[in-house]
Amino acid sequence: MTHTARRIGRSLALVLPVVLVLSGTLAVTMVPWADNTPSQILTASAENVSVPAKPLAPHEVLRDKLLGELQQGREPGVVLTHLQQEVDKRPSTLAAHCVGIARALGEAAVKAYGPTRAQSYARPVCDTAYATGVAAAS
């Protein structure tokens, strides 16, 4: 009987955070400050081979910074908090990229902590993108 209860408890500990995040955030389909214009498609051309590369976009800089924090051993929960703070500071610039960044953090967290521990840090930052990244990397 104790073994069965423990097994149920473990299952709930893994599934419940994902269910809570999904149920609490599925109503949000679009944020009003997000840029809804399609992204420019960049193509390679022989004409501009010698042109220096453009600097990274703000969302790429943030993604690299947060991934670096994870690689340095910072807990995914702290890194997700930093992501949320940065998106709150600059929503017009970063909100449209929040999902991609959170998904990348989830995938990196699985590599650093394993799927079970990485999932334990899931929270509703950028909808369920972090949990999706963990699931994709598992």
Side-chain angles (χ1 to χ4, degrees), residues 12-79:
L12 282 175
L14 291 174
V15 174
L16 191 58
V18 174
V19 171
L20 290 174
V21 168
L22 284 172
S23 65
T25 58
L26 284 178
V28 179
T29 58
M30 188 171 86
V31 290
W33 58 80
D35 182 16
N36 293 327
T37 59
S39 302
Q40 274 189 319
I41 298 174
L42 301 176
T43 58
S45 163
E47 295 173 10
N48 56 9
V49 170
S50 62
V51 174
K54 289 184 178 182
L56 294 175
H59 70 277
E60 294 169 317
V61 172
L62 177 61
R63 181 197 62 225
D64 293 347
K65 176 186 165 206
L66 296 175
L67 286 171
E69 287 183 24
L70 265 178
Q71 291 171 349
Q72 293 172 359
R74 186 152 294 171
E75 284 188 358
V78 173
V79 177

Side-chain angles (χ1 to χ4, degrees), residues 72-122:
Q72 293 172 359
R74 186 152 294 171
E75 284 188 358
V78 173
V79 177
L80 286 171
T81 299
H82 291 164
L83 172 60
Q84 186 65 58
Q85 290 169 343
E86 290 297 323
V87 171
D88 289 344
K89 283 183 199 173
R90 301 180 291 168
S92 62
T93 306
L94 298 174
H97 304 284
C98 188
V99 169
I101 295 170
R103 185 175 295 139
L105 291 174
E107 293 171 0
V110 168
K111 291 177 184 172
Y113 295 99
T116 303
R117 187 165 175 211
Q119 184 60 45
S120 71
Y121 293 103

